Amino acid sequence: MFKDFKLIDERPVAIQVKDYMKRLIIKGALQAGQKLPSTRELGGLLKVSRNTVMAVYADLEADGFVYVLQGKGSYVAALADNASAAAPSWQMDWTARLNGNARLAEELDLMKHGIRADRGTISFTSIAPDEKLFDLDNVKRAFLDRMSVEGNVLLNYGYAKGYKPLMDYLLRYMDHKGVDLKGKDILITNGFTEGFDIVLSALSRPGGSVICENPTHHTALKNLKLHGFDITGIAMERDGIHLGELEQALAQRAYDCAYFVPSYHNPTGIVMSPEKRLALMKLMERYQIPIIEDGFNEELRYSGSHVSPLIAAAGQGNNVVYIGSFSKVLFPGLRVGWVLADRELIYYLESVKRARSIHTSTLDQSILYQYLYNGNLEKYLKKARAEYKRKYEWTMHCCREHIPYTSLSGDGGLHLFVTFPEGFSTRELLDACRKQGVIFTPGDIFFTDGGGQNTMRIGFSRVSDEDIGRGIRMIGGTAKQMMS
């Protein structure tokens, strides 16, 4: 016994010894009433100091794992739950107990069923920000600044609605985007996905229906399906959703809500024109359809003038629910997003949030707030935009040079969308490219109607210039061979 103990670097020795002894006791390798080795003996067996063992025995006694007989030594205490060792052992078939929602979530889980990259593969599947750009020094400074002000508070429970300094900052931030805040309120969430899920949970009903762009954000599609919505997708034009098709669909049936990504649309990268935004808002008002607006990548504009979000065009109207996040701009590891909407709706969403996750990490919220308060966002955005713009232009150049596409879209953001001639299969292209060490995201996963077999998304944010050039040449060359 005691021969399997091995120390791990950079972890306190006493904690490792204590955990090891607890495991032996819990597993029954050390029985109740059994005398433990002396502190000197155990120190020799484990190759640690006697003082370490003395501290461990004292902690184990305090935790109820060990008792001491004066002048005799330390002994293993009887555990209160030892009787459970005699309980019958049986295996539950959990798959038989799963409901349809769990099965659908697993079926739609791209992390499990998506494209896996082998080591050395050039992967265009990610549209996460490049961690090499992360402003680590200022994030550390923000953490230390905030902890020095209210560290004890930040480590306790927070409020479901959010951390007030961050809420106030984000309200000003949205005000600067041209949003009329009268009658509106804000809820802090764990990124866009939780915000979207909370909104859908408040609006969904049996047999509910939603209208959206086609193609659209895969994660949004997944959540809409999990909430039981019947989804109608409307085709995209070069400047956004096809208004003629949208109006025709709205005239045919009623919808519970609409979901739109007007800026740097995922996956097409299209920015809806100001004229089309205004026409869209008038159309949705005529049919009284509430809008869920995804503020995806709004800050990653590389050219052209600023375009205000739909919620800004709504004025004092309350029909737009805006969901924002800095995940694609700043640091996705800080799971912070927000919902800006009518005050009465937020009142109910706050209760849904409290029932589901109590609150978003106050520590995460406070670090983000301090980072923003310290004036780092604009400086970081300037650096990030310059780098991503350079990659965007290089990727665009490579696609134009090598890929035999019929259309190529992407006005900014972190990805481009490629469409091949009808009848071409990007799934077959992916299989051929994967064997050569290059992968991308086939476009069919973004479509509401099973279409998009001839499309693909190319995410370039985390790919080096050299690999962008090499990978796109490989994709283009393989596609040309398949077409010949």
Side-chain angles (χ1 to χ4, degrees):
M1 192 176 289
F2 307 119
K3 292 181 180 180
D4 59 342
F5 177 75
K6 293 181 181 178
L7 283 172
I8 301 171
D9 292 340
E10 299 180 359
R11 189 161 186 253
V13 173
I15 291 177
Q16 294 186 61
V17 173
K18 181 182 176 182
D19 287 348
Y20 175 72
M21 296 300 290
K22 279 174 63 177
R23 187 167 65 252
L24 292 179
I25 293 170
I26 291 170
K27 295 292 185 181
L30 293 172
Q31 297 287 320
Q34 181 176 343
K35 184 178 181 181
L36 294 172
S38 68
T39 54
R40 190 184 303 278
E41 183 183 1
L42 186 61
L45 290 168
L46 301 183
K47 296 181 173 59
V48 299
S49 72
R50 182 187 181 190
N51 287 340
T52 295
V53 178
M54 290 172 66
V56 167
Y57 277 4
D59 283 351
L60 289 172
E61 182 183 7
D63 290 349
F65 287 92
V66 166
Y67 64 91
V68 176
L69 294 179
Q70 202 65 33
K72 294 186 177 180
S74 299
Y75 293 80
V76 177
L79 302 186
D81 62 350
N82 267 354
S84 65
S89 175
W90 59 292
Q91 297 296 313
M92 170 69 70
D93 180 8
W94 285 110
T95 56
R97 302 280 179 140
L98 294 175
N99 60 25
N101 208 47
R103 293 179 185 279
L104 180 59
E106 192 277 335
E107 180 185 329
L108 297 172
D109 191 345
L110 282 184
M111 294 302 290
K112 290 181 178 176
H113 303 296
I115 312 137
R116 296 192 176 275
D118 296 327
R119 186 181 295 275
T121 297
I122 299 174
S123 174
F124 293 106
T125 59
S126 175
I127 57 170
D130 185 354
E131 58 267 23
K132 297 186 188 73
L133 294 175
F134 288 171
D135 190 9
L136 194 55
D137 287 341
N138 281 318
V139 173
K140 290 178 181 177
R141 187 171 294 112
F143 171 77
L144 294 173
D145 287 350
R146 209 67 221 153
M147 288 297 285
S148 68
V149 174
E150 50 180 352
N152 291 341
V153 173
L154 302 180
L155 296 176
N156 211 327
Y157 281 108
Y159 297 97
K161 199 172 178 185
Y163 179 61
K164 192 170 189 312
L166 179 63
M167 293 166 62
D168 291 342
Y169 182 97
L170 290 173
L171 285 169
R172 292 193 301 273
Y173 178 77
M174 296 304 295
D175 178 61
H176 294 159
K177 286 179 176 283
V179 178
D180 189 327
L181 297 175
K182 185 177 180 180
K184 296 181 177 66
D185 205 350
I186 198 165
L187 172 74
I188 306 296
T189 63
N190 294 310
F192 163 83
T193 305
E194 189 197 35
F196 191 56
D197 182 55
I198 287 173
V199 172
L200 293 183
S201 70
L203 300 181
S204 62
R205 61 179 181 81
S209 58
V210 64
I211 197 161
C212 62
E213 294 128 330
N214 187 32
T216 192
H217 187 187
H218 177 263
T219 297
L221 276 180
K222 180 166 59 176
N223 275 277
L224 288 167
K225 291 174 181 177
L226 287 172
H227 280 279
F229 280 96
D230 179 52
I231 305 168
T232 298
I234 304 299
M236 294 285 286
E237 295 183 302
R238 189 63 193 84
D239 64 343
I241 193 168
H242 193 298
L243 291 179
E245 288 189 17
L246 176 62
E247 184 167 12
Q248 187 177 8
L250 292 174
Q252 290 175 349
R253 61 176 294 188
Y255 291 91
D256 295 280
C257 60
Y259 166 70
F260 299 130
V261 192
S263 296
Y264 310 113
H265 174 265
N266 186 9
T268 67
I270 290 171
V271 176
M272 189 184 297
S273 66
E275 298 79 16
K276 184 159 280 190
R277 288 173 191 242
L278 186 58
L280 173 68
M281 292 299 291
K282 290 179 179 178
L283 191 58
M284 302 309 284
E285 178 188 9
R286 190 196 317 164
Y287 286 93
Q288 294 291 289
I289 309 294
I291 297 170
I292 302 172
E293 179 180 11
D294 184 346
F296 179 82
N297 271 359
E298 276 183 353
E299 308 305 334
L300 293 182
R301 175 177 54 86
Y302 306 138
S303 61
S305 58
H306 168 75
V307 182
S308 297
L310 296 177
I311 193 171
Q316 292 188 8
N318 68 348
N319 63 313
V320 179
V321 178
Y322 178 95
I323 307 178
S325 166
F326 289 127
S327 292
K328 295 296 185 289
V329 179
L330 285 174
F331 323 115
L334 293 178
R335 301 304 302 148
V336 178
W338 67 93
V339 179
L340 180 68
D342 179 76
R343 183 175 290 121
E344 187 174 5
L345 176 59
I346 293 294
Y347 175 80
Y348 287 97
L349 297 185
E350 177 188 356
S351 296
V352 177
K353 165 73 178 177
R354 183 176 288 111
R356 292 192 168 193
S357 59
I358 304 178
H359 66 86
T360 297
S361 164
T362 310
L363 188 58
D364 284 6
Q365 292 183 71
S366 69
I367 294 171
L368 177 59
Y369 163 72
Q370 191 68 46
Y371 181 86
L372 298 170
Y373 178 80
N374 288 350
N376 295 309
L377 177 60
E378 285 304 318
K379 290 185 288 185
Y380 178 81
L381 279 177
K382 187 176 181 180
K383 178 179 70 171
R385 281 194 192 112
E387 175 63 9
Y388 291 139
K389 180 183 180 182
R390 190 186 59 73
K391 280 190 171 184
Y392 162 80
E393 291 175 344
W394 172 236
T395 308
M396 185 73 78
H397 168 78
C398 291
C399 287
R400 287 172 175 159
E401 187 80 13
H402 301 290
I403 295 182
Y405 58 81
T406 56
S407 70
L408 176 65
S409 63
D411 299 321
L414 303 174
H415 62 276
L416 299 176
F417 195 67
V418 180
T419 302
F420 291 91
E422 287 293 335
F424 185 84
S425 171
T426 53
R427 287 280 177 179
E428 292 179 12
L429 176 62
L430 175 61
D431 288 340
C433 288
R434 181 165 23 199
K435 295 171 184 175
Q436 301 172 76
V438 180
I439 59 174
F440 53 82
T441 304
D444 56 0
I445 69 166
F446 303 105
F447 281 75
T448 64
D449 56 3
Q453 306 295 329
N454 60 326
T455 65
M456 61 187 283
R457 190 187 70 183
I458 294 179
F460 55 78
S461 56
R462 303 175 71 186
V463 189
S464 69
D465 288 7
E466 181 184 356
D467 283 348
I468 288 172
R470 196 153 53 93
I472 290 177
R473 277 196 304 274
M474 182 77 70
I475 293 171
T478 305
K480 290 171 184 175
Q481 288 177 8
M482 290 173 60
M483 292 177 176
S484 60

